[in-house]
Amino acid sequence: MIKIIFENDKEVFLEPSELNKSLLQISLDADIPHIHACGGNARCSTCRVLIQEGDEHLLPRNEKETALAQKKGFPDNVRLACQTKTTGDIVLRRLVIDEADKALASTFSDLISGIEKPVAILFSDIRGFTGFSESHLPYDVIHILNRYFYRMGDKVLKYGGIIDKYIGDGLMAIFGLEDPDPVRANLNAIRSALEMRSELESLNTYLQNHLGSEFEIGIGINYGTAILGKLGHPLSMSFTAIGDTVNSASRIETTTKKAGAKILVSQKVYESVKERIQKGRSFETKLKGKTGNYRVHEVLGTKNNCEGSTWQETGYRIWDKIDPTEVGAWLRMVFHASSIFSADGEWLGLEGSIRFPSILNDENNRGVAKQIEEIIHLREEMEKEGRVGIPSLSDMIALSGALALQKAGGPQVHILTGRKDANYPSGRMLMPVDSPDVKDSLDYFSMMGFSTRDTVLLMGVHTLGWHSKGSFTETPNIFNNHYFRDLLLDGGVRMLATDRALLGSEETKRMVMEYALNESLFFKDFQGLYQRLVEQKRLEES
């Protein structure tokens, strides 16, 4: 007999011959009121269950369940009962119990199920901010806070963190969501904290000159398991982390004021990175709301070459060079560097960009010369430092575009290293012409192997940056779908003839409409296209 325990409901025993049934059918046959709004056809998630024991006995997800699980962000232990079958004993629990649960489940789109994951949590807080807010005009308070959060948030994003929330004058960030390595997560949180301190010094110069004030901040970092998921009203939900790890990080930050320290980390954080940081004092203290004493450590800095990965360090340095008002130029540089063709018209792509330094004076490159020079100088700096494994020029160009995209609020594109700077003495850069005929654009991009949809997507990058007569959209520093919206709303009056030409074909106009109505689709498709533009697929296959 096979035993299936529906926690908080009942135990069900099955003969082996009954194992062709889904978990939903088994539940319903046992008179368990298992909600299944779509009738068990994998068109909703109301029958989902949490597998607590025996997941090794479950059959793999079928196509229907896989599609819905990806859309909803299910972890491995959350399964659709209507599609799941078992071959042995399991313990599970229904997650949608009543009509209120059913209504709530229908509003979710992704990351709906709480998961536990080890992460580094950073808290920062401005000391004495109440006095500042009481002695300055409301406009000045909001202006300064936004300036402060922008500068601090940039350092969080630089090191792969996400800004969880702003709490008055405080900030909470999470590190390690993408990279499971605890050393990397904790080191990134610490490097972010140290650079937040450096940014504060620059901000204080501005504050002193304009408002006669200065800020002081304390930063606390903890590492451990947190519960991650979306919380809030269905119309205003946000991704967050909760749990003891989060609470302790907040308490450690509070301790910085009493200890007269700028950055304090927990014992767990210290143990993982102690060989890579410069430590100050260590002491035991009580944390508010916690029993017993907790050991914390003061961080003064990091040791030379603490990162250990030249590729990661390259990304951090490029991030600092990207001015948010010039993200369009950085992405345009990637396209120019990718537009290298052989003498007989074969697309050489990004690996032919080793010729770029010799064609910087080309009229077409006037708007991106600054960016490519920054990359060339960075390579020279790293060579002088004697670093091992310095990325190729084409690798650095590919990475810089991805970072610019991220800095502008676009999708995150993971870039692999391994491109070779092949030497093509006969290579030349061919650029598309500004033509009112969409066929000219399609013909040009077809030489790179790109389809009609790819062409529309590549034109969509004009949502960033400027041309000779002004910006393409009203948000030239933000990556969004406004390029497509504006094309439909006013015919692209701010744009070039080649942009407006997209409306001259029913096929391309339909695609423009798709992306105007669905920014998420634009982000997803552009992410894949960028990887193909910089030859990511070839690297993944190799």
Side-chain angles (χ1 to χ4, degrees):
M1 296 289 283
I2 304 299
K3 182 166 70 172
I4 301 178
I5 300 176
F6 289 87
E7 193 177 78
N8 301 325
D9 288 307
K10 60 177 65 174
E11 294 182 4
V12 178
F13 294 91
L14 298 176
E15 295 290 344
S17 60
E18 299 179 90
L19 292 181
N20 62 329
K21 296 179 180 178
S22 70
L23 294 181
L24 174 63
Q25 191 58 54
I26 293 169
S27 176
L28 295 175
D29 288 349
D31 295 323
I32 296 173
H34 203 136
I35 294 175
H36 51 296
C38 72
N41 295 307
R43 297 179 63 85
C44 74
S45 64
T46 55
C47 72
R48 67 184 186 272
V49 293
L50 177 68
I51 307 299
Q52 295 178 299
E53 294 179 26
D55 58 340
E56 69 275 10
H57 295 145
L58 299 179
L59 297 183
R61 284 181 169 136
N62 60 24
E63 186 175 348
K64 285 184 178 180
E65 185 185 8
T66 297
L68 194 141
Q70 290 176 346
K71 180 181 178 181
K72 291 286 189 178
F74 287 163
D76 292 340
N77 61 343
V78 172
R79 300 293 300 266
L80 279 187
C82 68
Q83 303 298 311
T84 304
K85 296 180 180 180
T86 184
T87 61
D89 297 350
I90 57 170
V91 179
L92 60 103
R93 176 163 56 87
R94 289 185 296 138
L95 293 176
V96 179
I97 305 301
D98 55 23
E99 289 301 314
D101 281 344
K102 179 179 173 182
L104 194 60
S106 67
T107 66
F108 289 125
S109 60
D110 58 1
L111 294 173
I112 64 169
S113 302
I115 60 171
E116 284 192 322
K117 186 171 185 175
V119 290
I121 303 292
L122 179 151
F123 268 92
S124 75
D125 189 64
I126 302 175
R127 297 174 187 165
F129 185 78
T130 301
F132 174 86
S133 63
E134 290 174 349
S135 59
H136 290 85
L137 295 173
Y139 169 84
D140 289 332
V141 173
I142 295 299
H143 170 70
I144 291 301
L145 264 185
N146 280 327
R147 190 180 179 108
Y148 166 81
F149 283 136
Y150 172 75
R151 303 276 284 272
M152 300 301 118
D154 187 65
K155 297 308 178 185
V156 171
L157 297 175
K158 172 182 176 180
Y159 287 104
I162 71 160
I163 301 164
D164 180 288
K165 62 174 67 72
Y166 299 107
I167 313 155
D169 58 313
L171 176 152
M172 172 182 161
I174 308 172
F175 295 83
L177 287 173
E178 297 290 335
D179 191 337
D181 181 7
V183 175
R184 178 69 53 75
N186 287 315
L187 188 61
N188 283 348
I190 287 172
R191 294 187 73 178
S192 176
L194 290 166
E195 293 193 19
M196 288 167 70
R197 291 287 318 169
S198 298
E199 283 295 316
L200 182 66
E201 294 177 10
S202 173
L203 181 64
N204 276 338
T205 300
Y206 174 88
L207 281 170
Q208 190 63 50
N209 291 339
H210 293 275
L211 296 172
S213 300
E214 287 189 356
F215 284 167
E216 184 52 77
I217 63 173
I219 301 174
I221 303 172
N222 189 27
Y223 182 81
T225 300
I227 300 171
L228 307 166
K230 280 195 170 183
L231 291 176
H233 186 278
L235 298 181
S236 182
M237 304 194 81
S238 60
F239 180 80
T240 191
I242 59 175
D244 185 64
T245 297
V246 178
N247 295 336
S248 294
S250 176
R251 302 293 185 263
I252 292 170
E253 183 278 313
T254 302
T255 303
T256 60
K257 184 175 182 180
K258 180 175 64 176
K262 294 176 172 57
I263 302 172
L264 289 177
V265 302
S266 67
Q267 180 68 16
K268 280 187 179 180
V269 174
Y270 174 70
E271 284 295 333
S272 71
V273 297
K274 61 184 178 182
E275 303 299 328
R276 304 185 184 215
I277 64 169
Q278 297 171 359
K279 183 179 72 71
R281 294 168 294 158
S282 297
F283 53 90
E284 291 193 349
T285 184
K286 292 187 179 298
L287 300 181
K288 185 178 178 181
K290 310 282 291 181
T291 58
N293 290 329
Y294 286 78
R295 192 160 185 80
V296 295
H297 306 269
E298 183 181 23
V299 175
L300 303 178
T302 56
K303 295 180 180 178
N304 290 337
N305 299 323
C306 66
E307 173 56 42
S309 166
T310 300
W311 180 239
Q312 290 287 341
E313 188 64 33
T314 301
Y316 299 146
R317 295 195 188 186
I318 291 175
W319 180 276
D320 283 339
K321 292 181 180 296
I322 299 174
D323 186 326
T325 65
E326 297 177 348
V327 287
W330 282 91
L331 277 166
R332 191 160 66 251
M333 175 197 68
V334 177
F335 178 73
H336 284 215
S338 300
S339 302
I340 307 293
F341 292 80
S342 68
D344 58 2
E346 179 190 359
W347 182 44
L348 303 177
L350 201 58
E351 291 189 357
S353 61
I354 191 65
R355 289 206 16 91
F356 220 115
S358 66
I359 56 175
L360 274 181
N361 294 327
D362 187 295
E363 179 68 19
N364 288 315
N365 291 329
R366 196 167 48 181
V368 300
K370 175 184 175 182
Q371 283 68 37
I372 193 64
E373 286 172 352
E374 291 270 23
I375 296 296
I376 293 170
H377 292 158
L378 176 56
R379 289 197 82 231
E380 291 172 351
E381 285 175 11
M382 299 178 81
E383 287 171 356
K384 288 179 181 177
E385 293 171 6
R387 286 189 170 270
V388 177
I390 298 173
S392 65
L393 180 66
S394 48
D395 270 345
M396 294 175 77
I397 290 173
L399 181 59
S400 67
L403 293 175
L405 190 64
Q406 183 183 350
K407 207 161 192 176
Q412 188 169 354
V413 183
H414 295 286
I415 298 297
L416 300 175
T417 183
R419 295 164 190 80
K420 308 295 183 184
D421 286 332
N423 204 354
Y424 296 102
S426 59
R428 56 187 178 136
M429 187 176 72
L430 295 179
M431 299 297 293
V433 296
D434 183 27
S435 168
D437 188 347
V438 70
K439 186 176 182 300
D440 290 333
S441 294
L442 295 175
D443 288 346
Y444 171 81
F445 287 112
S446 69
M447 292 193 302
M448 298 179 175
F450 291 134
S451 66
T452 299
R453 181 171 292 278
D454 295 334
T455 300
V456 174
L457 281 167
L458 281 167
M459 299 294 285
V461 81
H462 283 167
T463 197
L464 295 170
W466 287 261
H467 53 84
S468 60
K469 296 180 181 178
S471 62
F472 291 89
T473 69
E474 293 184 355
T475 56
N477 302 323
I478 302 173
F479 191 86
N480 51 33
N481 68 339
H482 289 191
Y483 170 82
F484 301 108
R485 288 169 47 186
D486 290 355
L487 266 178
L488 293 177
L489 288 172
D490 60 22
V493 295
R494 304 168 65 106
M495 303 177 190
L496 301 175
T498 191
D499 300 300
R500 293 188 289 271
L502 293 178
L503 301 177
S505 153
E506 286 301 316
E507 183 182 18
T508 54
K509 184 177 181 179
R510 175 176 54 78
M511 294 172 184
V512 167
M513 187 173 295
E514 285 179 24
Y515 293 130
L517 294 173
N518 191 337
E519 187 174 76
S520 295
L521 178 63
F522 172 47
F523 276 34
K524 173 179 171 291
D525 288 354
F526 189 85
Q527 183 181 42
L529 177 64
Y530 184 87
Q531 290 180 321
R532 283 187 285 128
L533 177 68
V534 298
E535 302 179 292
Q536 186 85 353
K537 189 172 187 293
R538 179 184 58 77
L539 289 172
E540 289 172 347
E541 289 174 348
S542 62

